Every structure is written in C-alpha cells, then in structure tokens.
C-alpha cells in the first residue's frame, strides 16, 4: 500500500494584490505645498508692491491713532486695537462653548444622535446674513443694555464673529476627538475613572493638537472677516481708550478694524499708487503679521506640550467624584444646546423674513429690474463658482495637509502650518484686490468666473490643509509600525494608510471651506460678478462674468430704504442658506459613510 502525499502546486504571487509604486505621491504633496506658498507669496507680493509705490512712515502707522488722508496722516493703532479686541472677544465667547459642545457630541451622545446635532449647518449661513442678523438682533441689544444709540460697537462685532467661528471650532474639534482610539477610553474606564476623568486625563491630551488647530482656524476666520464686521462695528476712526474704564466703554461704542478699513471705499479712492494706497497696503501687511504671530504662538505652545501629551495621567481628587461628573456633564450638554438654539433662531428669522424663497417661481425666474423677479441666474452662478473652487482647492489642500503631517520635519511642518494659517487669515478683500490687479487687469481676463474661483481657492485650501494635517498627526503609532513592518515604502504608506485615514477629516475641511466660500462677497465684487446683465452660464473665460447670490444680497442690502429691495435681499439670503445647507448635509452624509468605525487595535 502506497501513501500519496498531497501537495499544493505552487501559485505565482498575484502582482495585482501588492501595493503598486507610488512615486507620483511626492509630486502631488510637494505641488500642494508649493501652491499654498505661491498663493501666500502672491498676496504678500501685491502688498509689498503697493507699499513700494509710495512712502510709508511705519512708526506713525504703528503708533499713531489718527487717520486723516486729507492731512496726510496715516495712523493705524486704533485699527490694530479694534482688530485685537474683536478677535479676542470672539475667542473668549466661542472657544469654551465650542470645546464643551464638541466633547458632548463625541463623548456623551451616541453616534445616531451626535451626527445630526453637529452644528456645521451654522457654517451654511453666509457672512452677509450674519451681518444682517447683527443689524437686526445684536445692535438693538447692545443699544438697550449699554444705553448707546444705534448699537454699532466692537462688542457687537465680537459677538457676531463668535457665532461665525463656532461651527468651525466644533467641527474640527469633534474630528480630533473622534480620532482618539476607543482602546484609550476602554483602558481608562477599566481603572474605575468616571466619564469626566476619562475625558480629562485620557481623551483631551491626545486630541489637544487637533483642538488647538480648530482654534487657529477660528482665529484666522475672525481676523480675516470683513463684511459682517463692516455692517455692525460702526467704522469710527481714531478711538482708543486711555484707562480700564475707558476700555470697557470702548467695547460698546463704534470702532474700526483692519479688515473694515480695507473693505470700505478707501481702497478704491486711494488708487493704485501713492502714500495713501501704500498706507492701506501697510495695514494689510500688519494684518498678515498678526495672523502669523498668533499662529507661531499657538504652534510653539503645542510643541512644548507634546511631551506631556504622550502619556496621559489622571490628576484628580476622590472627593465628590460622581457629583462633579454630573455637573460637568450638565455644563457640556448645556454648551451643546447654545449653538443649536442659535441655529434654530437664525433659521426662524430667515424663514420669517425670507419667505419669498419658498415660492418656486423665485428660484426658477430671472431677476427683473433692480429688485424684482427671481434669482435663477444668481443660483447658477453661485453653484458654478463653488464647484470650480472645490475642484481646484481639494487636491491642493489635501496634498499640503498630508505633507505637513507625514513627510515634513517638525520645524518644516511648523513653518508650513504658519504659512497655511496666514493664508487663511488673509482678508478676502485683499484677495479680491490682488485678483483684480493680476487676473482681471494684467492678464486681461476682465470679470471672469474662473478668476472668481481662483480668488476663492485661498479661502478653502487652508481649512482643508489644517484639518487634514491634524488628522494625520493623530494616526496611532502602532498603525504606522504595522504598515512599515509589511515593507511599504513611505509613498505606499501615504497612499494605502494615510489617505483613507484622513479622508473623513478632509471632507469636513472641504465642506467648511466651501460653506465659507459660498458666502464670500468681497473677492467676487472685483473679479467675477455683476449685479445684472450676465448670462446664467458663461461661454468662455475672458470677459465672462456671472451673477452670484452673495454680491446680489450685498447690493440689495445697501438700499435699506427700499422695502422691496430688503425683502428681495432676505429671500436671496434664504435661497443661499438652503443651497449651502443641502450641499453641507450631503457632504456630512458622505463623510459619515467614509468615517465608519474608529481605527482601533
């Protein structure tokens, strides 16, 4: 009797199952970072060229409070003070509420409730609508409480900005918390810690990097915002306090910021050369320097705190642990209710004032005259600008974010992050003026939809890059080690591990950036849009303007004495919010589908 030994014939390895070479990865990543740097250098170059066109007395610009072009006196100290006060006030209000709401969404509510309650829908409200709401709601409250006429004030601008930056901080912070592996929470709970202690000692130290990036994004939004602040700050030159009581009094009186000065009529009146125009460009350069200083400070603090973040430790006392846990939970859930209440209140106001948007004919008919008809052409133009901006910005921001998080050294990553946040903080009025000079005038495009999309790219790219890089830094070390132990090259690791891991956060950054871009007004006025006379779809690129909802609303809102124009403006605002909210909801659903379960080991 013979025994047969069964043997399996050798099978050739499946070449298709092995990771393919990914040499193109580095070209993509370095290209994204190079474009981000080039965009910032373009804005800085425009400002430097403007400064070189005339004499700038820098000591006077930085230390003198009076601004009088007629007397050749250009002092920007009062505007620097207003910018600092408004931004700090917005952060003081928004950061505690946003962080508490993010923790409540990530750690206290189940996913089936937390995902619908994420307040990213607040980002669907364009800047011009925030300004209109500030005029109708915030200014009367300030006027009544402080007993000042009108209510135009630094405090009103800070409150409006706080509401505007809340969805950005909440959304990015939730992504940072979601990136913390569940095994960290499970280990902490197994030690007998309460939920508050788990969050404080195990979750927050690991998510702190991404949550600080969220604050930097919010600060960039606050420093770069022009239109909403323009409508509520009062734009009074030269007002500076001389005492603490004077400081408190200045909060409830009109002021001026760097962005409102640049967004006003003066850049047009100043021409394109001379000391007047040079002083305005100097203010723009100061604004970029403020954003850079805040970014360097934030990243420096994070680098120093890294050592303490690697090993989370429990610090607490055993006294009244359960009572403190319940109190903190109540406070965090209450913080979640505040942005939800703001969203409901805004929607109620928009529905009440903009009920014409619920008439189908308003959507599908063209505008007639100055304030009649519908907004069909404006809707088509807005969608074209948003789509083109997203197509241009997504690969650039994604590549720059991955390069910052994976391949760059710590010092290089800090420099790239600083450049990215400075680009995000660049006031959009400067982007519009730079686009007007370079694209519309020098290149001869005139008013062009593509010029408008290119000008909006710097608005979206920093949001994508920073959210992506924060997500990359939260990749568990064991995941990296496992990938490298399989023999993957760094390029294959980026393609097979980093890209799928960061994709949900990238979608969050994209939708937040596009939501902001959809409501931008200042850049489009100079480069892409007209109030009437443009076709719904342009037939080319050169001299091919479009009509867009943000500039349509802004133009109508200037004629506050015409009741029909105001009604048309609110109806157009409601249409813009609905469109952005639909796009935002679709992107959130897509992000949630990609996000799936947390990556754990």
């Amino acid at each position: 009797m013979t025994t047969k030994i069964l043997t399996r014939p050798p099978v050739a390895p499946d070449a298709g199952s092995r990771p393919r070479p990914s040499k193109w990865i580095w070209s993509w990543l370095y290209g994204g970072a190079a474009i981000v740097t080039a965009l910032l250098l373009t804005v800085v170059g425009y400002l430097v060229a403007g400064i070189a066109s005339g004499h700038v007395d820098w000591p006077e610009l930085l230390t003198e409070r009076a601004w009088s072009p007629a007397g050749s006196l250009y002092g920007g100290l009062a505007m620097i003070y207003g910018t600092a006060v408004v931004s700090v006030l917005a952060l003081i209000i928004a950061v505690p509420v946003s962080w508490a709401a993010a923790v409540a969404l990530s750690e206290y509510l189940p996913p089936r409730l937390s995902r619908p309650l994420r307040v990213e829908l607040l980002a669907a409200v364009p800047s011009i609508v925030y300004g209109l709401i500030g005029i109708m709601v915030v200014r009367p409250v300030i006027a009544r409480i402080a007993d000042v006429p009108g209510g135009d004030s630094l405090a009103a601008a800070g409150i409006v900005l706080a509401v505007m930056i809340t969805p950005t901080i909440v959304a990015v912070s939730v992504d940072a918390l979601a990136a913390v592996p569940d095994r960290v929470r499970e280990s902490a709970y197994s030690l007998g810690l309460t939920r508050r202690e788990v969050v404080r000692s195990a979750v927050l130290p690991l998510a702190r990097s991404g949550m600080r990036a969220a604050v930097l994004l919010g600060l960039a939004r606050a420093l770069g915002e022009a239109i909403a602040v323009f409508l509520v700050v009062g734009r009074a030159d030269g007002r500076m306090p001389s005492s603490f009581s004077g400081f408190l009094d200045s909060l409830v009186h009109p002021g001026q910021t760097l962005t409102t000065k640049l967004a006003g009529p003066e850049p047009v009146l100043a021409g394109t050369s001379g000391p007047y125009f040079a002083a305005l460009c100097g203010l723009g350069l100061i604004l970029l320097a403020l954003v850079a200083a805040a970014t360097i400070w934030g990243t420096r603090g994070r680098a120093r705190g890294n050592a303490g973040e690697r090993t989370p430790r429990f610090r607490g006392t055993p006294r009244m642990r359960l009572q403190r846990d319940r109190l903190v939970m109540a406070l965090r859930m209450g913080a979640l209710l505040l942005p939800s209440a703001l969203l409901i209140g805004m929607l109620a106001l928009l529905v009440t004032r903009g009920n014409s948007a619920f008439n189908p004919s308003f959507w599908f008919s063209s505008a007639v005259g100055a304030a009649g008809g519908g907004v069909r052409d404006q809707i088509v133009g807005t969608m074209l600008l948003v789509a083109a901006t997203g197509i241009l910005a997504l690969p650039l921001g994604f590549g720059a974010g991955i390069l910052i998080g994976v391949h760059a050294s710590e010092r290089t990553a800090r420099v790239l992050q600083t450049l990215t946040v400075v680009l995000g903080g660049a006031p959009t009025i400067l982007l519009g003026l730079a686009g007007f000079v370079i694209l519309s005038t020098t290149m001869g495009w005139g008013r062009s939809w593509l010029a408008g999309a290119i000008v909006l790219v710097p608005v979206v790219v920093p949001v994508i890059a920073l959210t992506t890089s924060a997500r990359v830094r939260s990749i568990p070390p064991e995941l990296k080690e496992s990938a490298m132990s399989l023999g993957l090259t760094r390029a294959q690791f980026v393609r097979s591990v980093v890209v799928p891991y960061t994709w949900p956060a990238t979608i969050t950054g994209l939708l937040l950036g596009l939501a902001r871009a959809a409501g931008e007004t200042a850049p489009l006025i100079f480069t892409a849009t007209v109030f009437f006379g443009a076709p719904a779809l342009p037939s080319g690129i050169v001299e091919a303007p479009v009509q867009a909802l943000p500039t349509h609303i802004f133009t109508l809102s200037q004629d506050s004495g015409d009741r029909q124009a105001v009604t048309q403006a609110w109806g157009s605002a409601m249409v813009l919010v609905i469109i952005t909210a639909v796009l935002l909801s679709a992107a959130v659903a897509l992000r949630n589908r990609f996000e799936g379960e947390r990556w754990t080991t």
Side-chain angles (χ1 to χ4, degrees):
M1 181 177 179
T2 59
T3 303
K4 293 184 179 181
I5 300 176
L6 299 178
T7 59
R8 178 178 295 177
V11 179
D14 185 5
S17 63
R18 296 181 58 82
R20 297 185 301 273
S22 303
K23 297 180 180 180
W24 56 270
I25 287 287
W26 301 126
S27 300
W28 167 41
L29 300 187
Y30 284 113
I35 292 297
V36 170
T37 306
L39 290 173
L40 179 60
L41 291 178
T42 300
V43 177
V44 174
Y46 167 76
L47 294 175
V48 172
I51 293 171
S53 68
H55 174 69
V56 177
D57 188 346
W58 287 102
E60 178 185 86
L61 190 65
L62 294 172
T63 60
E64 176 62 44
R65 71 175 65 183
W67 179 275
S68 177
S72 298
L73 188 60
Y74 305 104
L77 183 60
M79 287 167 269
I80 297 173
Y81 165 78
T83 300
V85 168
V86 167
S87 300
V88 171
L89 182 60
L91 291 179
I92 289 175
I93 297 173
V95 171
V97 173
S98 302
W99 277 359
V103 172
L105 286 169
S106 177
E107 307 300 323
Y108 288 88
L109 294 179
R112 65 178 182 275
L113 293 179
S114 62
R115 286 175 178 173
L117 287 177
R118 286 179 68 164
V119 295
E120 290 158 323
L121 194 60
L122 279 172
V125 182
S127 302
I128 183 64
V129 177
Y130 279 111
L132 293 176
I133 293 174
I135 291 174
M136 294 189 58
V137 179
V138 179
R139 288 199 318 182
V141 172
I142 297 293
R144 190 178 305 112
I145 294 177
D147 194 22
V148 293
D152 285 323
S153 60
L154 295 174
I159 293 171
V160 170
L161 280 182
V163 178
M164 293 180 67
I165 67 177
T166 294
T168 300
I169 299 177
V170 170
V172 179
S173 297
V174 168
D175 280 328
L177 292 165
V180 177
D182 282 340
R183 58 178 173 77
V184 174
R185 298 172 177 84
E186 294 166 359
S187 299
Y189 281 122
S190 67
L191 297 176
L193 302 185
T194 64
R195 189 186 298 269
R196 179 188 68 86
E197 294 164 349
V198 169
V199 172
R200 177 186 175 187
S201 303
V203 178
L204 289 182
L206 297 178
R208 192 171 296 156
S209 172
M211 296 176 74
R212 286 178 176 172
V215 176
L216 288 177
L217 283 172
L219 178 61
R221 176 75 187 272
L223 288 172
E225 179 54 41
I227 295 299
V229 177
F230 185 87
L231 295 175
V232 298
V233 78
R235 305 187 303 281
D237 286 326
R239 295 196 175 184
M240 286 280 296
S242 57
S243 62
F244 182 73
S245 60
F247 165 73
L248 296 178
D249 185 66
S250 70
L251 295 179
V252 294
H253 284 85
Q256 186 80 276
T257 68
L258 293 170
T259 53
T260 56
K261 174 61 70 175
L262 295 170
E266 293 193 43
V268 178
L269 299 175
T272 57
S273 63
Y276 191 3
F277 180 71
L280 290 173
C281 291
L283 293 179
L285 201 60
I286 291 172
L287 180 58
L288 293 182
L290 289 176
V291 180
T295 306
I296 293 172
W297 175 81
T299 54
R300 183 181 181 184
R302 186 180 67 247
R304 288 180 176 179
N306 280 343
E309 291 174 4
R310 294 173 184 171
T311 307
R313 294 179 296 176
F314 168 66
R315 293 178 296 175
T317 59
R319 298 176 56 187
M320 301 181 66
R321 294 175 61 202
L322 295 179
Q323 290 80 356
R324 293 167 66 183
D325 187 71
R326 295 192 184 103
L327 176 61
V328 171
M329 182 180 70
L331 292 176
R332 286 169 175 165
M333 297 301 293
L336 177 60
L337 293 177
L338 182 58
S340 302
L342 288 173
L343 176 60
I344 294 173
M346 286 185 182
L347 292 179
L349 183 61
L350 285 169
V351 169
T352 303
R353 296 285 180 144
N355 52 17
S356 58
F358 300 102
N359 185 354
S361 63
F362 188 74
W363 289 67
F364 299 106
S365 60
S366 300
V368 178
V375 289
R376 181 194 64 191
D377 296 344
Q378 288 80 5
I379 293 173
V380 175
T382 301
M383 296 295 292
L384 176 62
L385 289 170
V386 170
T389 302
I391 293 172
L392 294 174
L394 179 59
L396 300 179
F398 196 28
I402 292 178
L403 181 65
I404 293 172
V406 174
H407 194 59
S409 63
E410 182 178 352
R411 179 175 298 179
T412 304
R414 194 178 306 164
V415 172
L416 290 175
Q417 182 170 353
T418 301
L419 295 176
T420 304
V421 178
V422 171
L423 178 63
T428 54
I429 185 65
L430 288 180
L431 300 177
L433 291 173
F436 173 75
V437 172
I438 297 172
L439 299 175
S440 301
T441 304
T442 304
M443 296 181 61
W445 285 11
R447 292 184 183 268
S448 168
W449 62 272
L450 184 57
I454 293 174
V455 167
L456 290 177
V457 166
V459 176
V460 182
V461 165
V463 185
I464 300 174
L466 290 177
T467 52
T468 301
S469 64
R471 179 80 168 185
V472 170
R473 285 192 295 268
S474 67
I475 295 178
E478 59 270 21
L479 186 60
K480 299 180 183 178
E481 296 169 1
S482 300
M484 293 305 177
S485 67
L486 295 175
L488 298 183
T489 64
R490 290 183 62 85
Q492 292 168 341
F493 169 69
V494 169
R495 190 192 68 188
S496 304
V497 177
V498 176
V499 171
Y501 187 88
T502 58
W503 190 241
T506 301
I507 294 179
T508 299
L510 176 64
L511 65 92
L512 286 172
L514 290 181
R516 180 186 173 187
E520 283 296 338
T521 304
L524 301 180
I525 293 176
F526 295 95
T527 58
T529 60
V530 293
F531 182 63
F532 62 88
L537 287 174
S539 57
I541 295 177
V542 177
E543 296 295 344
V546 293
Q547 302 176 66
L549 287 168
T551 53
H552 188 69
I553 298 167
F554 181 74
T555 305
L556 290 173
S557 65
Q558 302 303 301
D559 192 5
S560 58
D562 187 347
R563 185 174 181 180
Q564 184 179 1
V566 173
T567 302
Q568 189 83 347
W570 280 107
S572 302
M574 188 65 198
V575 170
L576 180 57
V577 169
I578 291 174
I579 292 175
T580 313
V582 169
L583 295 175
L584 196 59
S585 300
V588 168
L590 185 62
R591 190 269 318 280
N592 291 339
R593 180 179 178 182
F594 281 138
E595 190 172 40
E597 298 295 329
R598 292 189 178 109
W599 291 50
T600 58
T601 56

